[in-house]
Amino acid sequence: MNYQTLPASSPLLYDPGDPPRASLTSEPEPSPELLAILKEVHAELNQWETFLQVGIGRARELSTLKESQIRYFEALGALPSVKPLHAGASRTYTLSNLRRLCVLSRLMKQEGLRPSEAAEMVRNHAQFIDRGMPWLLPEVLDQEGNVIHNGFLLARLMSQVMDATQCELGDPTTGGRVIGLIVPMQDIFQDYPDIPPDVVQQMGRTLEISDMPLALMRDKVVAPEMPAPKIPPVLLSSGRDDTTVLFYSREPWPLPHRDTSHYSAYRPAEMPHLTMLVMMEAAPGMDRPHLLHPIPERTRFLNTMLQMIAEVFSDFRQSTSRHQAGYRYRSDGFPLVQTRATFYRLLEKVRSLVFPGLADDSMVALFIPNTLERPTALAMLAYCGYEDELASRIHLSLYRSGDEVRGEGLTGLAYALREPFLTLDATHDPRVAYREEEQARVALAVPLLAPWGGNPFGVLFLASRHAAATLHGDQAYVAITLGSILSELLGRWWLTRLRKEHEQLLHRQMAPMIRWLNRMDRRGVEFQHALDALEHLWNEICRRMETGASPPMEGDCLALAILDIDAYQQEVQQAERHEPFAMKAQLHVEKAIARVLPRTQGYWFKHDHALFWWSEQRPDQAVSRVQQIANQIGNWPVEIQKIQHGKERNLYISVSAAIKVLTYDDLFYLGRDTVSSFRAGMEEMIEDMRKQAGQSSHPNTLYFFTTGGWVEQALNSTQVGLSPAGNP
């Protein structure tokens, strides 16, 4: 149904958090005037969400009724009698009571009703008023969409903060494992200029059981309903096997590990209202700081994430304000144990639907590959109707024949060829891998496909050993349709696990990742660092030249070189496309430079261009040095496995180079006027060298600048290209 085309008389939906109505006709329909009043009251009620219960003074203020009027309406039955819990205790009024009081007040003031008439109308429409303002279907869908989107985003943002904090603390075995995160959205330490350790622990314990609005995230200890059989080793490489849970509730949630946990606080200097508490599980004797002082790069990341958490959390609370029961949690992650228990229950239903009346003699299994990128085996993620011992040892190989994938058994065929396979004689069909153990008469394997192509997420396998079992086209059609639904569920499972693994890798490799990003542009951060270093050298040369001192470096001249990795996009980026950042080729070149020129630093720009310099006695020696570096680069494989014609190959790379040898007088006069003229001249020179190194259509080429211009010659590296893996 397209809700945007619904007429104005669309059906009303009520808050699902309210108790069900006894009868749809148990009270008269509300008048337009009552509906208008209720709409006004509901708009105000959104501002009262923080008041779970109020005293009669606050109720009088919010409803604009006198205390005597409130008690009069209680006596008339328009308001449930509110009794104190014990003698001497104050009266309290709930949000439902406040809603009725406000409706009574408006009926008298806006509609001119006498108190008795207003009380009668409220009694007649009590259930309707208690429910709150009814919703139109478009409002429901929009509101629910906001809740799902904001809850999803909030859970993932807090997962990121937990991962980043764990990397800041270091190895969980030595620095403590992060098991929780509390973001109270206020400066909880504003009264403490110097925050003592005991205050941090006390504040954490208080917030654990507080009913104040806050975002609380922690790892989830899964306790499945069914015993968890041994997990096949094939499944252990299917992504990150943990989960975190975002709790959101007006009720406190008791947390495990309270006796052994420790709290550390992070209080952003410029945004103290975004203070967070990190809950850690640490063994006695571990170094457990009570305050976190992240490195600058991670500080910037955490502050940005906390700002976004605060903004999304505000939207999330507003989206959930109409759900009286509240949204309890959002999770991020699918552990294998929990997943197997969930899919077990689902597969049990699938088995009974495909084989009605024969389920006890039938079996169903959900197979997944060990990896989505280059799978080599299939194993059971979940199953029903198999003995645990048999299920744990079922292992179906996947292998390549040229560029094509082949698979073992009916399930392997379905996976490799991306189409269903059916047999009505499974007992004797050689395509069924475990036919002797299963003793099935009929079997069907359905690949769980992604609509964009690529390797399937898994395979749904159904079989039955019952004598009356059969698999007609209509049954197979039902199985394929159910498989499409399973494909979406399994795709989400894969995506989440692999995403969490990838994000964890990003946090662990933050420093090289930032450095890689600084190397991307032709005038990026690292290129500017190179100019800064050259400027520093130029200043020293100028000072010595003016005082008559010797040059700051050994040798009679300065050799400036640029290395350009040949076929970078076609070879290196293709081979490293599954890495979070492509730095292995750069590291390979840096190692080669360090072997020949140990004290020389390389500066990268435009991904594949390395700029470096060193002192030399003669220009021909500079050419020889670059030749040695090129040989080091080309003679040894990069630590990347490239796939070619279905086989893994070691990747060999080559470089082209451009060299300029400058005397110290050349450098001195390059920027004689100002620093800016030196930097501009150096940029122009480096750009000319970059163009020369990259202009040749032949790899492994050297360009050397002489008085007459650029001279081209070959770099004589012994190996360039690919060789079989293991044979450098």
Side-chain angles (χ1 to χ4, degrees), residues 314-561:
S314 176
D315 294 340
F316 185 61
R317 288 196 64 212
Q318 185 176 358
S319 299
T320 59
S321 63
R322 302 188 75 168
H323 294 265
Q324 293 181 3
Y327 272 76
R328 293 298 189 239
Y329 66 88
R330 287 289 186 271
S331 62
D332 182 24
F334 297 101
L336 281 170
V337 173
Q338 181 189 25
T339 301
R340 301 186 95 189
T342 301
F343 273 113
Y344 171 84
R345 293 187 288 269
L346 182 58
L347 292 180
E348 197 171 29
K349 295 179 177 62
V350 171
R351 181 177 65 163
S352 62
L353 288 171
V354 177
F355 298 109
L358 309 177
D360 292 342
D361 289 320
S362 303
M363 59 202 81
V364 59
L366 183 60
F367 285 84
I368 65 168
N370 57 321
T371 175
L372 288 182
E373 182 185 354
R374 287 188 55 78
T376 58
L378 295 169
M380 287 186 182
L381 175 64
Y383 52 87
C384 186
Y386 282 90
E387 294 291 333
D388 290 343
E389 186 277 330
L390 174 59
S392 64
R393 62 185 176 87
I394 289 181
H395 179 282
L396 301 174
S397 297
L398 298 172
Y399 55 93
R400 287 188 174 271
S401 177
D403 290 333
E404 297 183 357
V405 179
R406 293 286 183 264
E408 180 183 5
L410 208 66
T411 299
L413 282 172
Y415 185 90
L417 299 180
R418 295 172 48 82
E419 62 181 66
F421 278 81
L422 169 69
T423 177
L424 300 179
D425 188 17
T427 307
H428 304 97
D429 193 329
R431 298 177 302 173
V432 180
Y434 288 83
R435 55 187 177 277
E436 293 183 3
E437 293 88 340
E438 293 170 343
Q439 290 296 306
R441 293 175 58 86
V442 295
L444 172 66
V446 179
L448 306 181
L449 304 173
W452 55 84
N455 291 325
F457 296 130
V459 178
L460 176 65
F461 179 79
L462 301 114
S464 180
R465 62 176 67 92
H466 196 281
T470 186
L471 273 171
H472 296 303
D474 54 350
Q475 292 172 279
Y477 176 77
V478 169
I480 291 173
T481 304
L482 293 173
S484 178
I485 299 172
L486 284 172
S487 178
E488 181 179 352
L489 296 175
L490 198 57
R492 190 177 304 155
W493 181 86
W494 273 110
L495 176 63
T496 300
R497 288 172 63 88
L498 295 177
R499 172 187 56 78
K500 286 173 69 68
E501 185 175 56
H502 178 77
E503 290 169 351
Q504 189 177 54
L505 181 63
L506 291 182
H507 289 302
R508 288 174 176 172
Q509 298 186 352
M510 181 188 67
M513 179 72 175
I514 291 175
R515 188 180 180 195
W516 177 76
L517 292 169
N518 288 336
R519 296 172 166 183
M520 294 180 68
D521 190 71
R522 184 165 64 90
R523 291 182 172 84
V525 174
E526 188 154 327
F527 182 79
Q528 298 305 316
H529 290 168
L531 291 179
D532 293 341
L534 287 167
E535 179 188 329
H536 176 77
L537 176 62
W538 175 75
N539 285 327
E540 185 64 18
I541 289 172
C542 291
R543 187 183 67 81
R544 290 176 179 253
M545 293 285 282
E546 291 170 354
T547 60
S550 58
M553 300 175 68
E554 299 177 0
D556 296 330
C557 54
L558 183 77
L560 195 68

Side-chain angles (χ1 to χ4, degrees), residues 56 70 113 142 155 207 209 251 259 290 341 414 431 464 483 635 675 692:
I56 193 167
I70 294 175
L113 299 184
D142 182 62
L207 291 176
I209 57 175
E251 303 171 5
D259 296 334
H290 75 287
R431 298 177 302 173
S464 180
N635 288 343
V675 171
Q692 289 297 326

